[in-house]
Amino acid sequence: MAAATHKLIAHAGLDAATMAAVAREAGFSVGTVQHYFASKDELLLFAYKRMTDHQLARVARMVAEGESEQLPIRAILMRCMPELWPLDEIRRGEYRVAKAFHARALDVPTVAEVARETAAVVRGQIARAVENGKECGEVQPETDAERAALELSALIAGLSDELYREPADGRSGRALVKATNAILEERLGSYFPGDCRHHER
Amino acid sequence: MAAATHKLIAHAGLDAATMAAVAREAGFSVGTVQHYFASKDELLLFAYKRMTDHQLARVARMVAEGESEQLPIRAILMRCMPELWPLDEIRRGEYRVAKAFHARALDVPTVAEVARETAAVVRGQIARAVENGKECGEVQPETDAERAALELSALIAGLSDELYREPADGRSGRALVKATNAILEERLGSYFPGDCRHHER
DNA sequence: CGAATAACCATACGAACATATGGCTTCCTC
DNA sequence: GAGGAAGCCATATGTTCGTATGGTTATTCG
């Protein structure tokens, strides 16, 4: 049911995710959906939280992969951060769902809490990466990790909007992807100017 | 009527802006609102465009003021860019309206067009500022103005979200405002490292 | 003047939706 | 094997909303 809800919102917006539509999409009756979710709010919140959990899990998996490959932290971040960008149809769908709920979060505190926490996790992970970078010499010791994380997470979110407007399969879309990658590379370079001590030879 | 629509959306979200509520808030009957707007979509689009026009006009006025004061371009940008941040109740209301319409833009092309154009104007103005900065020596000639504008506009938008979550009157809110200003200052400093030639003595 | 145009209103209509109700099956458990 | 919980469904109910309709008053202009 949560998957059906996600699909409907991604395809036609929050208003399209009526109880009847969700039931039909999931192959159940309206009554059955009601059996599992006491209210529509509950259903929507569950579907939203499910999506953010999936996203964070994907990022965590990519971090783990990068660590097992002994990549420098900067390279790991360079891989992970575009994971939240709307570069293919799946992630464009997630972008649409996320934006729909961000609007809903303005009026529904429970949704705002999920959005707030998701953002906090992302920012926290970046901040931790910067701190780790100090220990291994990639980051200068006087860098403010919280501030760096704030700028980097804001940058990702802001660039997402631009990327969504210009689908990545067009000519100008590909140029935009190159530009956003270059920006991210440059900014990571300014926060991670050094080489990892553990990779020295 | 547009003002009433704005007030309702800012205060309680898009769903609260029903024809009846708008009419009541504006002091008219439903029929009169219908007399001026052929459909609800038209009313909403008009109210949205009105808001973005106001915002862009405010920024343009601040740019003109800065120019008449002969400020360096970097200082003008440092003044203008936080104009779009939700730092007081008026701009928090505009933020809420903008976010509501951003979600709507995902499904309504006419709204998407307004959002797209507004973003393009902001990015274009920043790009022009960077180009001007090259001419007067504030910006290094090899800087890519479009890319700089892309990063700066994304940064503003992304930081808006963080600022909204933490109202500026709290203790942590004030700390966040300081942090965002510092980030903006630093980033403008990296794109505008030089002094304006016209201010040399 | 007089007619057309614009401003304005009250109310009716019909569609869409969330939720409530009551009932039917299936499967476990004591 | 009786009882009850869980899974599932069709339909009723009441609300909300956008829009349509028909009308009244004021203003403009030939």
Side-chain angles (χ1 to χ4, degrees):
Chain A
M1 289 172 186
T5 307
H6 178 94
K7 185 172 174 182
L8 285 166
I9 298 173
H11 194 266
L14 255 181
D15 292 342
T18 68
M19 293 294 273
V22 168
R24 185 167 355 101
E25 180 72 31
F28 289 104
S29 75
V30 175
T32 302
V33 177
Q34 283 178 308
H35 183 69
Y36 290 99
F37 298 96
S39 69
K40 188 185 177 179
D41 275 6
E42 214 176 88
L43 167 64
L44 292 178
L45 189 65
F46 183 85
Y48 179 42
K49 181 135 187 54
R50 194 183 88 112
M51 185 193 74
T52 61
D53 284 348
H54 284 176
Q55 288 182 322
L56 294 179
R58 256 163 35 211
V59 171
R61 202 168 54 80
M62 295 184 75
V63 171
E65 270 179 27
E67 279 173 350
S68 75
E69 292 181 42
Q70 305 249 354
L71 291 177
I73 295 174
R74 176 184 159 173
I76 296 179
L77 285 176
M78 191 63 208
R79 267 199 199 176
C80 293
M81 292 167 72
E83 176 62 30
L84 301 175
W85 281 352
L87 295 175
D88 56 30
E89 262 319 303
I90 291 178
R91 284 174 287 173
R92 283 180 71 85
E94 289 179 346
Y95 176 89
R96 281 190 286 264
V97 174
K99 285 294 162 184
F101 277 103
H102 286 170
R104 189 175 169 79
L106 300 172
D107 303 298
V108 183
T110 52
V111 175
E113 181 52 31
V114 174
R116 205 196 63 77
E117 191 173 340
T118 306
V121 169
V122 171
R123 225 177 40 239
Q125 282 184 334
I126 298 174
R128 200 164 51 83
V130 175
E131 289 290 357
N132 289 344
K134 286 187 197 175
E135 281 178 26
C136 78
E138 288 185 60
V139 178
Q140 287 177 316
E142 67 270 21
T143 300
D144 182 337
E146 289 297 332
R147 231 178 68 183
L150 185 59
E151 172 169 2
L152 289 172
S153 63
L155 192 58
I156 303 179
L159 289 175
S160 286
D161 296 343
E162 308 279 356
L163 283 165
Y164 181 79
R165 276 190 257 273
E166 204 95 42
D169 44 21
R171 197 168 53 81
S172 57
R174 272 193 295 273
L176 184 58
V177 172
K178 279 185 72 169
T180 52
N181 274 313
I183 288 170
L184 189 53
E185 193 110 46
E186 184 182 317
R187 201 49 56 220
L188 282 174
S190 71
Y191 280 118
F192 292 76
D195 284 329
C196 181
R197 204 174 288 123
H198 308 132
H199 295 172
E200 282 170 1
R201 56 198 67 241
Chain B
M1 290 173 186
T5 306
H6 178 95
K7 186 171 173 184
L8 285 166
I9 297 173
H11 193 267
L14 254 182
D15 292 341
T18 68
M19 294 292 275
V22 168
R24 185 167 356 102
E25 180 72 30
F28 289 104
S29 74
V30 174
T32 303
V33 177
Q34 285 178 307
H35 184 69
Y36 291 99
F37 298 96
S39 69
K40 187 185 176 180
D41 275 5
E42 213 176 90
L43 166 64
L44 292 178
L45 189 65
F46 183 87
Y48 179 41
K49 181 136 187 56
R50 194 183 87 111
M51 187 193 73
T52 61
D53 285 347
H54 283 177
Q55 288 182 322
L56 294 179
R58 257 165 31 212
V59 171
R61 202 167 54 80
M62 294 185 76
V63 171
E65 271 179 26
E67 280 172 349
S68 76
E69 291 181 41
Q70 305 249 353
L71 289 176
I73 297 174
R74 174 184 160 174
I76 296 178
L77 285 177
M78 191 63 207
R79 267 199 199 176
C80 291
M81 291 167 71
E83 176 63 30
L84 300 174
W85 282 351
L87 296 176
D88 56 29
E89 263 319 303
I90 291 178
R91 284 174 287 173
R92 282 180 72 84
E94 288 179 346
Y95 175 89
R96 282 189 286 264
V97 175
K99 285 294 161 185
F101 277 104
H102 286 169
R104 191 175 168 79
L106 300 173
D107 304 297
V108 184
T110 52
V111 176
E113 181 52 30
V114 175
R116 205 196 62 79
E117 191 174 340
T118 306
V121 169
V122 170
R123 227 177 39 239
Q125 282 183 334
I126 298 175
R128 200 164 51 83
V130 175
E131 290 290 357
N132 290 344
K134 287 186 196 177
E135 281 178 27
C136 79
E138 288 186 60
V139 177
Q140 286 176 317
E142 67 269 22
T143 300
D144 182 336
E146 290 296 333
R147 232 177 69 180
L150 186 58
E151 172 169 2
L152 289 172
S153 62
L155 192 58
I156 304 178
L159 290 175
S160 286
D161 296 343
E162 308 280 356
L163 284 165
Y164 180 79
R165 276 190 257 275
E166 204 95 42
D169 44 20
R171 195 169 53 82
S172 58
R174 271 194 296 274
L176 184 59
V177 172
K178 278 186 74 169
T180 54
N181 274 312
I183 288 170
L184 189 53
E185 193 109 45
E186 183 181 317
R187 202 49 58 221
L188 282 174
S190 71
Y191 280 118
F192 292 76
D195 284 330
C196 180
R197 206 173 288 127
H198 307 133
H199 294 171
E200 282 171 0
R201 55 198 69 241

